[in-house]
């Protein structure tokens, strides 16, 4: 797909930081196919990283409006968007208690119609919330989407049968 002439694809990072993973993906695609275009999207919580990410988009010739500031879990700035590729390196073992009210409300109100329908993990590690968020951004067409997420072992193995993590997995 990426080697075809004139291909245009989108990529999204829900924990964009300074957009390092996004820009590396863009550089890799241009090595693979100089005629391809990758439109970069991301959201970042940290104000300083967000500012650097916006500048990075300007430098790289990307649309800086595609980088949003805010907490991905409590305020999805790309609520109605779907993407071809989704990548993220969420914060390991970070508590989501500061956004628990918003996340639980979405879970209760929307269930499987929302981003967190598979369930809620323990409050002290929100990694599986980021995974569910990315899944909600996948295209449901003939080409679909691809996800790459960086996890430590905790969300993959923590939580016994019937726990939030187990139910999500």
């Amino acid at each position: 797909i990426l080697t075809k002439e004139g291909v245009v694809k989108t990529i999204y990072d829900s924990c964009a930081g300074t957009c390092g993973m996004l820009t590396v993906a863009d550089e890799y695609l241009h090595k693979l196919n100089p005629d391809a275009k990758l439109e970069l999207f991301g959201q970042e919580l940290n104000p300083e990283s967000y500012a650097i990410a916006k500048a990075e988009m300007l430098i790289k010739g990307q649309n800086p409006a595609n980088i949003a500031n805010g907490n991905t879990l409590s305020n999805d700035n790309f609520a109605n968007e779907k993407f071809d590729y989704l990548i993220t390196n969420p914060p390991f073992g970070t508590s989501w208690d500061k956004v628990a009210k918003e996340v639980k409300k979405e879970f209760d109100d929307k269930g499987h119609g929302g981003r967190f329908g598979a369930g809620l993990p323990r409050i002290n590690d929100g990694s599986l919330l980021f995974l569910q968020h990315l899944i909600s951004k996948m295209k449901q067409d003939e080409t679909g989407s691809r996800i790459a997420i960086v996890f430590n072992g905790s969300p993959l193995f923590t939580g016994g049968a019937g726990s939030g993590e187990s139910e999500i997995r």
Side-chain angles (χ1 to χ4, degrees), residues 11-60:
I11 187 167
Y12 168 70
D13 186 346
S14 63
C15 302
T18 60
C19 287
M21 290 197 323
L22 288 172
T23 57
V24 167
D26 190 39
E27 290 167 4
Y28 178 78
L29 178 59
H30 282 114
K31 287 180 186 174
L32 180 67
N33 181 355
D35 295 325
K37 178 166 175 45
L38 193 59
E39 296 177 352
L40 311 181
F41 293 82
Q43 185 163 336
E44 175 54 35
L45 173 63
N46 179 284
E48 291 83 9
S49 297
Y50 164 71
I52 293 168
K54 296 280 268 193
E56 183 74 11
M57 293 300 98
L58 285 169
I59 292 167
K60 297 291 184 177

CSV table of all heavy atoms in Angstrom, one decimal, residues 11-60:
chain,number,residue,atom,x,y,z
A,11,ILE,N,-1.4,9.2,10.2
A,11,ILE,CA,-0.9,8.6,11.3
A,11,ILE,C,-1.1,9.5,12.6
A,11,ILE,O,-1.1,10.7,12.5
A,11,ILE,CB,0.6,8.3,11.2
A,11,ILE,CG1,1.2,7.4,12.3
A,11,ILE,CG2,1.4,9.6,11.0
A,11,ILE,CD1,2.5,6.8,12.1
A,12,TYR,N,-1.5,8.8,13.7
A,12,TYR,CA,-1.9,9.5,14.9
A,12,TYR,C,-1.1,9.0,16.1
A,12,TYR,O,-1.0,7.8,16.2
A,12,TYR,CB,-3.4,9.3,15.1
A,12,TYR,CG,-3.9,9.8,16.4
A,12,TYR,CD1,-4.0,11.1,16.8
A,12,TYR,CD2,-4.4,8.8,17.3
A,12,TYR,CE1,-4.5,11.5,18.0
A,12,TYR,CE2,-4.9,9.2,18.6
A,12,TYR,CZ,-4.9,10.5,18.9
A,12,TYR,OH,-5.5,10.9,20.1
A,13,ASP,N,-0.6,9.9,16.9
A,13,ASP,CA,0.0,9.5,18.2
A,13,ASP,C,-0.7,10.2,19.3
A,13,ASP,O,-0.8,11.4,19.4
A,13,ASP,CB,1.5,9.9,18.2
A,13,ASP,CG,2.3,9.5,19.4
A,13,ASP,OD1,1.6,9.0,20.4
A,13,ASP,OD2,3.5,9.5,19.4
A,14,SER,N,-1.4,9.4,20.2
A,14,SER,CA,-2.2,9.9,21.3
A,14,SER,C,-1.4,10.5,22.4
A,14,SER,O,-1.9,11.2,23.3
A,14,SER,CB,-3.1,8.9,21.8
A,14,SER,OG,-2.4,7.8,22.4
A,15,CYS,N,-0.1,10.2,22.5
A,15,CYS,CA,0.9,10.7,23.5
A,15,CYS,C,2.1,11.2,22.7
A,15,CYS,O,3.2,10.7,22.8
A,15,CYS,CB,1.3,9.6,24.5
A,15,CYS,SG,-0.1,8.8,25.3
A,16,ALA,N,1.8,12.3,22.0
A,16,ALA,CA,2.8,12.7,20.9
A,16,ALA,C,4.1,13.2,21.4
A,16,ALA,O,5.1,13.2,20.7
A,16,ALA,CB,2.1,13.7,20.0
A,17,GLY,N,4.2,13.7,22.7
A,17,GLY,CA,5.4,14.3,23.1
A,17,GLY,C,5.9,15.4,22.2
A,17,GLY,O,5.1,16.2,21.8
A,18,THR,N,7.1,15.3,21.8
A,18,THR,CA,7.6,16.3,20.8
A,18,THR,C,7.5,15.9,19.4
A,18,THR,O,8.1,16.5,18.5
A,18,THR,CB,9.1,16.7,21.1
A,18,THR,OG1,9.9,15.5,21.0
A,18,THR,CG2,9.2,17.3,22.5
A,19,CYS,N,6.7,14.8,19.1
A,19,CYS,CA,6.4,14.3,17.8
A,19,CYS,C,7.6,13.5,17.2
A,19,CYS,O,7.7,13.3,16.0
A,19,CYS,CB,6.0,15.4,16.8
A,19,CYS,SG,4.3,15.9,17.2
A,20,GLY,N,8.4,13.0,18.1
A,20,GLY,CA,9.6,12.2,17.6
A,20,GLY,C,9.2,10.9,16.8
A,20,GLY,O,9.7,10.7,15.7
A,21,MET,N,8.2,10.2,17.3
A,21,MET,CA,7.8,8.9,16.6
A,21,MET,C,7.1,9.3,15.3
A,21,MET,O,7.2,8.6,14.3
A,21,MET,CB,6.9,8.0,17.5
A,21,MET,CG,7.7,7.4,18.6
A,21,MET,SD,7.0,6.0,19.5
A,21,MET,CE,5.3,6.3,19.6
A,22,LEU,N,6.3,10.3,15.3
A,22,LEU,CA,5.6,10.7,14.1
A,22,LEU,C,6.6,11.2,13.0
A,22,LEU,O,6.4,10.8,11.9
A,22,LEU,CB,4.6,11.9,14.4
A,22,LEU,CG,3.4,11.5,15.2
A,22,LEU,CD1,2.6,12.8,15.6
A,22,LEU,CD2,2.5,10.6,14.4
A,23,THR,N,7.6,12.0,13.4
A,23,THR,CA,8.5,12.4,12.4
A,23,THR,C,9.4,11.3,11.8
A,23,THR,O,9.7,11.3,10.7
A,23,THR,CB,9.3,13.6,12.9
A,23,THR,OG1,10.0,13.3,14.0
A,23,THR,CG2,8.5,14.8,13.1
A,24,VAL,N,9.8,10.4,12.7
A,24,VAL,CA,10.5,9.2,12.2
A,24,VAL,C,9.7,8.4,11.3
A,24,VAL,O,10.2,7.9,10.3
A,24,VAL,CB,11.0,8.4,13.4
A,24,VAL,CG1,11.6,7.0,13.0
A,24,VAL,CG2,12.1,9.2,14.2
A,25,ALA,N,8.4,8.2,11.6
A,25,ALA,CA,7.5,7.5,10.7
A,25,ALA,C,7.5,8.2,9.3
A,25,ALA,O,7.5,7.5,8.3
A,25,ALA,CB,6.2,7.3,11.3
A,26,ASP,N,7.4,9.5,9.3
A,26,ASP,CA,7.3,10.2,8.1
A,26,ASP,C,8.6,10.1,7.3
A,26,ASP,O,8.6,9.9,6.1
A,26,ASP,CB,7.0,11.7,8.4
A,26,ASP,CG,6.7,12.6,7.2
A,26,ASP,OD1,6.0,12.1,6.3
A,26,ASP,OD2,7.2,13.7,7.1
A,27,GLU,N,9.7,10.2,8.0
A,27,GLU,CA,11.0,10.0,7.3
A,27,GLU,C,11.2,8.6,6.7
A,27,GLU,O,11.7,8.5,5.6
A,27,GLU,CB,12.2,10.3,8.3
A,27,GLU,CG,12.3,11.8,8.7
A,27,GLU,CD,13.2,12.0,9.9
A,27,GLU,OE1,13.8,11.1,10.4
A,27,GLU,OE2,13.2,13.2,10.3
A,28,TYR,N,10.8,7.6,7.4
A,28,TYR,CA,10.8,6.3,7.0
A,28,TYR,C,10.0,6.1,5.7
A,28,TYR,O,10.4,5.5,4.7
A,28,TYR,CB,10.4,5.3,8.0
A,28,TYR,CG,10.4,3.8,7.6
A,28,TYR,CD1,11.6,3.1,7.5
A,28,TYR,CD2,9.3,3.2,7.2
A,28,TYR,CE1,11.7,1.8,7.0
A,28,TYR,CE2,9.3,1.9,6.7
A,28,TYR,CZ,10.5,1.2,6.6
A,28,TYR,OH,10.5,-0.1,6.2
A,29,LEU,N,8.8,6.6,5.7
A,29,LEU,CA,7.9,6.5,4.5
A,29,LEU,C,8.5,7.2,3.3
A,29,LEU,O,8.5,6.6,2.2
A,29,LEU,CB,6.5,7.1,4.8
A,29,LEU,CG,5.6,7.0,3.6
A,29,LEU,CD1,5.3,5.6,3.1
A,29,LEU,CD2,4.3,7.7,4.0
A,30,HIS,N,9.2,8.3,3.5
A,30,HIS,CA,9.8,9.0,2.4
A,30,HIS,C,11.0,8.2,1.8
A,30,HIS,O,11.2,8.3,0.6
A,30,HIS,CB,10.1,10.4,2.7
A,30,HIS,CG,8.9,11.3,2.8
A,30,HIS,ND1,8.5,11.9,3.9
A,30,HIS,CD2,8.1,11.7,1.8
A,30,HIS,CE1,7.4,12.6,3.6
A,30,HIS,NE2,7.1,12.5,2.3
A,31,LYS,N,11.7,7.5,2.7
A,31,LYS,CA,12.7,6.6,2.1
A,31,LYS,C,12.1,5.5,1.3
A,31,LYS,O,12.7,5.1,0.3
A,31,LYS,CB,13.6,6.1,3.3
A,31,LYS,CG,14.5,7.1,3.9
A,31,LYS,CD,15.3,6.5,5.0
A,31,LYS,CE,16.1,7.5,5.8
A,31,LYS,NZ,16.8,7.0,6.9
A,32,LEU,N,11.0,4.9,1.8
A,32,LEU,CA,10.3,3.8,1.1
A,32,LEU,C,9.7,4.3,-0.2
A,32,LEU,O,9.8,3.6,-1.2
A,32,LEU,CB,9.3,3.2,2.1
A,32,LEU,CG,8.5,2.1,1.6
A,32,LEU,CD1,9.3,0.8,1.4
A,32,LEU,CD2,7.3,1.8,2.6
A,33,ASN,N,9.1,5.4,-0.1
A,33,ASN,CA,8.3,5.9,-1.3
A,33,ASN,C,8.3,7.5,-1.3
A,33,ASN,O,7.5,8.1,-0.6
A,33,ASN,CB,6.9,5.4,-1.3
A,33,ASN,CG,6.1,5.9,-2.5
A,33,ASN,OD1,6.5,6.6,-3.3
A,33,ASN,ND2,4.9,5.4,-2.5
A,34,PRO,N,9.2,8.1,-2.0
A,34,PRO,CA,9.3,9.6,-2.0
A,34,PRO,C,8.0,10.3,-2.5
A,34,PRO,O,7.8,11.4,-2.2
A,34,PRO,CB,10.5,9.9,-3.0
A,34,PRO,CG,11.3,8.6,-3.1
A,34,PRO,CD,10.3,7.5,-2.8
A,35,ASP,N,7.2,9.5,-3.2
A,35,ASP,CA,5.9,10.1,-3.7
A,35,ASP,C,4.8,10.0,-2.7
A,35,ASP,O,3.7,10.6,-3.0
A,35,ASP,CB,5.5,9.5,-5.0
A,35,ASP,CG,6.6,9.7,-6.1
A,35,ASP,OD1,7.1,10.8,-6.2
A,35,ASP,OD2,6.8,8.8,-7.0
A,36,ALA,N,5.0,9.3,-1.7
A,36,ALA,CA,3.9,9.1,-0.7
A,36,ALA,C,3.8,10.3,0.3
A,36,ALA,O,4.8,11.0,0.5
A,36,ALA,CB,4.1,7.8,0.1
A,37,LYS,N,2.6,10.5,0.8
A,37,LYS,CA,2.4,11.6,1.8
A,37,LYS,C,1.8,11.0,3.1
A,37,LYS,O,0.8,10.3,3.0
A,37,LYS,CB,1.5,12.7,1.2
A,37,LYS,CG,1.2,13.8,2.2
A,37,LYS,CD,0.6,15.0,1.6
A,37,LYS,CE,0.2,16.1,2.5
A,37,LYS,NZ,1.1,16.5,3.5
A,38,LEU,N,2.4,11.3,4.2
A,38,LEU,CA,1.9,10.9,5.5
A,38,LEU,C,1.5,12.2,6.2
A,38,LEU,O,2.3,13.1,6.5
A,38,LEU,CB,3.0,10.2,6.2
A,38,LEU,CG,2.6,9.4,7.5
A,38,LEU,CD1,1.5,8.3,7.1
A,38,LEU,CD2,3.8,8.7,8.1
A,39,GLU,N,0.2,12.3,6.6
A,39,GLU,CA,-0.3,13.4,7.3
A,39,GLU,C,-0.3,13.0,8.8
A,39,GLU,O,-0.8,12.0,9.2
A,39,GLU,CB,-1.8,13.7,6.9
A,39,GLU,CG,-1.9,14.2,5.5
A,39,GLU,CD,-3.3,14.4,5.0
A,39,GLU,OE1,-4.2,14.1,5.8
A,39,GLU,OE2,-3.5,14.9,3.9
A,40,LEU,N,0.5,13.9,9.6
A,40,LEU,CA,0.7,13.6,11.0
A,40,LEU,C,-0.3,14.3,11.9
A,40,LEU,O,-0.6,15.4,11.7
A,40,LEU,CB,2.1,14.1,11.3
A,40,LEU,CG,3.3,13.7,10.4
A,40,LEU,CD1,4.6,14.2,11.0
A,40,LEU,CD2,3.4,12.2,10.2
A,41,PHE,N,-0.8,13.5,12.9
A,41,PHE,CA,-1.7,14.0,13.9
A,41,PHE,C,-1.2,13.5,15.3
A,41,PHE,O,-0.7,12.4,15.4
A,41,PHE,CB,-3.1,13.4,13.7
A,41,PHE,CG,-3.8,13.9,12.4
A,41,PHE,CD1,-3.5,13.3,11.2
A,41,PHE,CD2,-4.7,14.9,12.4
A,41,PHE,CE1,-4.1,13.7,10.0
A,41,PHE,CE2,-5.3,15.4,11.3
A,41,PHE,CZ,-5.0,14.7,10.1
A,42,GLY,N,-1.5,14.4,16.3
A,42,GLY,CA,-1.1,14.0,17.6
A,42,GLY,C,-1.7,14.8,18.7
A,42,GLY,O,-2.2,15.9,18.4
A,43,GLN,N,-1.7,14.3,19.9
A,43,GLN,CA,-2.2,15.1,21.0
A,43,GLN,C,-1.2,14.9,22.2
A,43,GLN,O,-0.6,13.8,22.4
A,43,GLN,CB,-3.6,14.5,21.5
A,43,GLN,CG,-4.1,15.4,22.6
A,43,GLN,CD,-5.6,15.2,22.8
A,43,GLN,OE1,-6.3,14.8,21.9
A,43,GLN,NE2,-6.1,15.5,24.0
A,44,GLU,N,-0.9,16.0,22.9
A,44,GLU,CA,0.1,16.0,23.9
A,44,GLU,C,-0.4,16.8,25.1
A,44,GLU,O,-0.9,17.9,25.0
A,44,GLU,CB,1.4,16.6,23.4
A,44,GLU,CG,2.5,16.7,24.5
A,44,GLU,CD,2.8,15.5,25.3
A,44,GLU,OE1,2.8,14.4,24.7
A,44,GLU,OE2,3.1,15.6,26.5
A,45,LEU,N,-0.2,16.2,26.3
A,45,LEU,CA,-0.6,16.8,27.6
A,45,LEU,C,0.3,17.9,28.1
A,45,LEU,O,-0.1,19.0,28.5
A,45,LEU,CB,-0.8,15.8,28.6
A,45,LEU,CG,-1.1,16.2,30.1
A,45,LEU,CD1,-2.4,16.9,30.1
A,45,LEU,CD2,-1.1,15.0,31.0
A,46,ASN,N,1.6,17.7,28.0
A,46,ASN,CA,2.6,18.6,28.5
A,46,ASN,C,2.8,19.8,27.7
A,46,ASN,O,3.0,19.7,26.5
A,46,ASN,CB,4.0,17.8,28.6
A,46,ASN,CG,5.1,18.7,29.1
A,46,ASN,OD1,5.6,19.6,28.4
A,46,ASN,ND2,5.5,18.5,30.4
A,47,PRO,N,2.6,21.0,28.2
A,47,PRO,CA,2.6,22.3,27.4
A,47,PRO,C,3.9,22.5,26.7
A,47,PRO,O,3.9,23.0,25.6
A,47,PRO,CB,2.3,23.4,28.4
A,47,PRO,CG,1.8,22.7,29.7
A,47,PRO,CD,2.2,21.3,29.7
A,48,GLU,N,5.0,22.2,27.4
A,48,GLU,CA,6.3,22.4,26.7
A,48,GLU,C,6.5,21.5,25.5
A,48,GLU,O,6.9,21.9,24.5
A,48,GLU,CB,7.5,22.3,27.7
A,48,GLU,CG,7.5,23.4,28.8
A,48,GLU,CD,6.6,23.2,29.9
A,48,GLU,OE1,6.0,22.1,30.1
A,48,GLU,OE2,6.4,24.1,30.7
A,49,SER,N,6.2,20.2,25.7
A,49,SER,CA,6.3,19.2,24.7
A,49,SER,C,5.4,19.6,23.5
A,49,SER,O,5.7,19.4,22.3
A,49,SER,CB,6.0,17.8,25.2
A,49,SER,OG,7.0,17.4,26.1
A,50,TYR,N,4.2,20.0,23.9
A,50,TYR,CA,3.2,20.4,22.9
A,50,TYR,C,3.7,21.6,22.0
A,50,TYR,O,3.6,21.5,20.8
A,50,TYR,CB,1.9,20.8,23.6
A,50,TYR,CG,0.9,21.6,22.7
A,50,TYR,CD1,0.2,21.0,21.7
A,50,TYR,CD2,0.7,23.0,22.9
A,50,TYR,CE1,-0.7,21.7,20.9
A,50,TYR,CE2,-0.2,23.7,22.2
A,50,TYR,CZ,-0.9,23.1,21.1
A,50,TYR,OH,-1.7,23.8,20.4
A,51,ALA,N,4.3,22.6,22.6
A,51,ALA,CA,4.9,23.7,21.9
A,51,ALA,C,6.0,23.2,20.9
A,51,ALA,O,6.1,23.7,19.8
A,51,ALA,CB,5.4,24.8,22.8
A,52,ILE,N,6.9,22.3,21.4
A,52,ILE,CA,7.9,21.8,20.5
A,52,ILE,C,7.3,21.0,19.4
A,52,ILE,O,7.8,21.1,18.2
A,52,ILE,CB,8.9,21.0,21.4
A,52,ILE,CG1,9.7,21.9,22.4
A,52,ILE,CG2,9.9,20.2,20.5
A,52,ILE,CD1,10.4,21.1,23.4
A,53,ALA,N,6.3,20.2,19.7
A,53,ALA,CA,5.6,19.4,18.6
A,53,ALA,C,5.0,20.3,17.5
A,53,ALA,O,5.2,20.0,16.4
A,53,ALA,CB,4.5,18.6,19.3
A,54,LYS,N,4.4,21.4,17.9
A,54,LYS,CA,3.8,22.4,16.9
A,54,LYS,C,5.0,22.9,16.1
A,54,LYS,O,4.8,23.0,14.8
A,54,LYS,CB,3.1,23.5,17.6
A,54,LYS,CG,1.9,23.1,18.4
A,54,LYS,CD,0.7,22.9,17.6
A,54,LYS,CE,-0.1,24.1,17.4
A,54,LYS,NZ,-1.5,23.9,16.8
A,55,ALA,N,6.1,23.3,16.7
A,55,ALA,CA,7.2,23.8,15.9
A,55,ALA,C,7.8,22.8,15.0
A,55,ALA,O,8.1,23.1,13.9
A,55,ALA,CB,8.3,24.3,16.9
A,56,GLU,N,7.8,21.6,15.5
A,56,GLU,CA,8.3,20.4,14.6
A,56,GLU,C,7.5,20.3,13.4
A,56,GLU,O,8.0,20.0,12.3
A,56,GLU,CB,8.3,19.2,15.5
A,56,GLU,CG,8.9,18.0,14.8
A,56,GLU,CD,10.4,18.0,14.6
A,56,GLU,OE1,11.1,18.8,15.2
A,56,GLU,OE2,10.9,17.1,13.8
A,57,MET,N,6.2,20.4,13.6
A,57,MET,CA,5.3,20.3,12.4
A,57,MET,C,5.5,21.4,11.4
A,57,MET,O,5.5,21.1,10.2
A,57,MET,CB,3.8,20.3,12.8
A,57,MET,CG,3.4,19.1,13.7
A,57,MET,SD,3.5,17.5,12.8
A,57,MET,CE,5.1,17.0,13.5
A,58,LEU,N,5.7,22.6,11.9
A,58,LEU,CA,6.1,23.7,11.0
A,58,LEU,C,7.4,23.4,10.2
A,58,LEU,O,7.4,23.6,9.0
A,58,LEU,CB,6.2,25.0,11.7
A,58,LEU,CG,4.9,25.6,12.2
A,58,LEU,CD1,5.1,26.8,13.2
A,58,LEU,CD2,4.1,26.2,11.0
A,59,ILE,N,8.4,23.0,10.9
A,59,ILE,CA,9.7,22.7,10.3
A,59,ILE,C,9.6,21.6,9.3
A,59,ILE,O,10.2,21.7,8.2
A,59,ILE,CB,10.7,22.3,11.4
A,59,ILE,CG1,11.0,23.5,12.3
A,59,ILE,CG2,12.0,21.8,10.8
A,59,ILE,CD1,11.8,23.2,13.6
A,60,LYS,N,8.8,20.6,9.5
A,60,LYS,CA,8.6,19.5,8.6
A,60,LYS,C,7.6,19.7,7.5
A,60,LYS,O,7.4,18.8,6.7
A,60,LYS,CB,8.2,18.2,9.4
A,60,LYS,CG,9.2,17.8,10.5
A,60,LYS,CD,10.5,17.2,9.8
A,60,LYS,CE,11.4,16.7,10.9
A,60,LYS,NZ,12.6,16.1,10.4
